[in-house]
Amino acid sequence: MGFIPMACVDGGFSGKHQFEERIWKEVKKGYCHFQNGDIGIAKISPCFENLKSTIFQNLPNNYGAGTTELVILRPLNIHAKFYLYLFKSQWYISEGTKYFKGVVGQQRVHKGIFTDLQIPLPPLAEQYRIVTEIERWFALIDQIEQGKADLQTAVKQTKSKILDLAIHGKLVPQDPNDEPAIELLKRINPDFTPCDNGHYTQLPDGWTVCRLEQIVDYEQPTAYIVNSTAYDDSYSTPVLTAGKSFIIGYTNEDTGIYSNLPCIIFDDFTTDSKLVDFPFKVKSSAMKILKIHKEIEIDYVAMFMSITRLVGNTHKRYWISEYSKLEIPLPPKAEQKRIVHAIHDIFAQLDTIM
């Protein structure tokens, strides 16, 4: 027969369930029992609020058993799906929480929600019409959500491809009047020696390849102890936190603010790199501040790092010493500016589409 633990009941509005196959003697005691067509509703929190309810169907031999945290209802002369959707409605969930009993973390709805709460009862034919309309709208919403997911994937892939074209000299046209990048690098360091172009053999004229450490200064920031990491818009100075992609507030004295901007923040614990153009503080010493030479477009370097990934260990820890050896294809400074402008323009259009 079919055995259904709570994990086999889907949350949300799908109303689906799976089952495991068990023999009767294993489940005849200590479990609730039901048959095809019955409605099962989770009575324990948070499963109740997560809409874990279902109509049992396709059970082996027509019968099943399951967790005692399910309340079993058998429809009589009503459309089961109509009441399944009613049990998933915000109104019913709100009413049900009023019947909670037990301690926090082990609260369950009291049986009164099934015996005392008055619920609407439209004519049977209207119940069927209501279910048909609900499922028509659900199908449309599913199409919209899938379309949104497909669009998000397409936009993400498009941005990645645009960045890839940019660092290979294929996004904007070259201008033979631009000063070659190697001259730029020799101004930064008269002893500059170009890297082997093994990975970038098709770069346009005027481009060269260098290591990040040849155009970047690294700084190990001083970490500040923060008593609370809760975000608050009233905090005056943002704090960047290792391993996370959001900003939290900081309320203590204004010493230690990094304001020599912009710069790139690199996080040892993830593959994240962020271009920062506002004053900030740092909570974790695992973060590194990358200051780009003033002759180099910082946005171009940030874009390069955003698509660069190193092969790390299972803990995903990436050391700045590894990144410092990364080879970056470098266009002339004027083309760097054209690339950055083009990417900002295209990304803005893609974001508008989203």
Side-chain angles (χ1 to χ4, degrees):
M1 67 185 309
F3 179 74
I4 301 182
M6 188 65 76
C8 285
V9 180
D10 289 358
F13 294 99
S14 75
K16 295 179 180 180
H17 69 78
Q18 298 81 40
F19 61 81
E20 306 166 2
E21 290 198 9
R22 300 277 186 91
I23 58 176
W24 170 246
K25 68 177 182 180
E26 293 178 349
V27 296
K28 67 179 181 179
K29 293 183 179 180
Y31 299 100
C32 66
H33 300 101
F34 41 81
Q35 66 183 31
N36 283 331
D38 288 351
I39 301 174
I41 307 172
K43 62 182 178 181
I44 190 169
S45 179
C47 297
F48 177 76
E49 302 97 302
N50 292 339
L51 314 185
K52 277 184 170 277
S53 51
T54 187
I55 299 173
F56 300 110
Q57 52 189 335
N58 300 320
L59 297 171
N61 301 314
N62 199 47
Y63 294 100
T67 171
T68 56
E69 297 295 353
L70 289 171
V71 174
I72 309 303
L73 304 178
R74 182 158 298 163
L76 300 174
N77 300 318
I78 60 171
H79 187 14
K81 273 194 171 181
F82 173 81
Y83 282 94
L84 177 68
Y85 289 136
L86 183 143
F87 297 143
K88 292 177 180 293
S89 69
Q90 187 57 51
W91 168 79
Y92 189 82
I93 299 300
S94 178
E95 290 294 323
T97 55
K98 297 177 183 178
Y99 287 78
F100 270 164
K101 301 291 183 181
V103 297
V104 175
Q106 289 292 318
Q107 289 186 313
R108 294 172 176 84
V109 293
H110 189 266
K111 66 178 181 179
I113 189 176
F114 306 107
T115 59
D116 301 338
L117 181 64
Q118 294 186 354
I119 59 177
L121 182 63
L124 185 60
E126 186 170 350
Q127 294 176 33
Y128 277 88
R129 292 197 298 271
I130 290 172
V131 168
T132 298
E133 191 68 7
I134 287 174
E135 293 183 342
R136 183 178 75 85
W137 281 101
F138 277 11
L140 178 61
I141 291 170
D142 288 342
Q143 290 180 24
I144 294 171
E145 289 181 340
Q146 185 58 54
K148 178 182 178 181
D150 291 345
L151 179 59
Q152 288 174 328
T153 299
V155 167
K156 183 177 180 180
Q157 292 174 342
T158 300
K159 287 184 174 182
S160 179
K161 182 60 178 178
I162 290 169
L163 291 173
D164 185 66
L165 291 172
I167 67 169
H168 287 85
K170 299 178 181 179
L171 184 66
V172 299
Q174 280 73 48
D175 185 340
N177 297 316
D178 290 342
E179 178 192 50
I182 193 168
E183 299 300 325
L184 167 65
L185 290 171
K186 286 181 177 179
R187 281 205 309 277
I188 296 175
N189 177 10
D191 298 324
F192 169 75
T193 301
C195 297
D196 179 10
N197 281 16
H199 295 97
Y200 302 98
T201 57
Q202 302 299 320
L203 289 178
D205 292 339
W207 286 53
T208 192
V209 177
C210 67
R211 293 189 303 275
L212 275 178
E213 64 184 359
Q214 293 175 311
I215 58 173
V216 172
D217 289 327
Y218 305 98
E219 180 176 337
Q220 177 73 50
T222 301
Y224 286 83
I225 303 300
V226 183
N227 295 327
S228 172
T229 58
Y231 178 78
D232 188 329
D233 285 331
S234 67
Y235 293 170
S236 59
T237 305
V239 174
L240 302 186
T241 307
K244 298 179 182 179
S245 58
F246 58 85
I247 296 170
I248 61 173
Y250 188 77
T251 54
N252 289 4
E253 67 280 356
D254 287 337
T255 59
I257 297 176
Y258 290 91
S259 57
N260 184 16
L261 302 164
C263 62
I264 295 174
I265 296 296
F266 177 84
D267 182 350
D268 276 350
F269 290 96
T270 72
T271 55
D272 288 345
S273 56
K274 304 176 181 67
L275 178 61
V276 179
D277 59 0
F278 49 81
F280 64 92
K281 292 186 178 182
V282 175
K283 184 186 175 187
S284 171
S285 59
M287 303 184 79
K288 306 297 186 294
I289 298 176
L290 280 60
K291 296 182 178 180
I292 313 302
H293 194 280
K294 62 182 180 180
E295 291 275 8
I296 306 294
E297 285 293 316
I298 188 171
D299 288 88
Y300 177 81
V301 179
M303 291 170 184
F304 169 78
M305 293 191 69
S306 72
I307 62 172
T308 303
R309 297 291 182 266
L310 289 177
V311 178
N313 59 27
T314 55
H315 297 289
K316 278 191 172 182
R317 184 155 192 170
Y318 301 90
W319 300 101
I320 198 62
S321 59
E322 298 174 81
Y323 266 90
S324 66
K325 305 302 181 185
L326 279 178
E327 295 179 354
I328 175 172
L330 198 68
K333 184 172 183 178
E335 188 171 346
Q336 293 176 37
K337 292 179 178 293
R338 294 196 297 272
I339 289 172
V340 169
H341 177 77
I343 289 177
H344 284 320
D345 184 55
I346 296 171
F347 279 19
Q349 294 181 52
L350 290 171
D351 291 340
T352 299
I353 291 172
M354 285 301 301

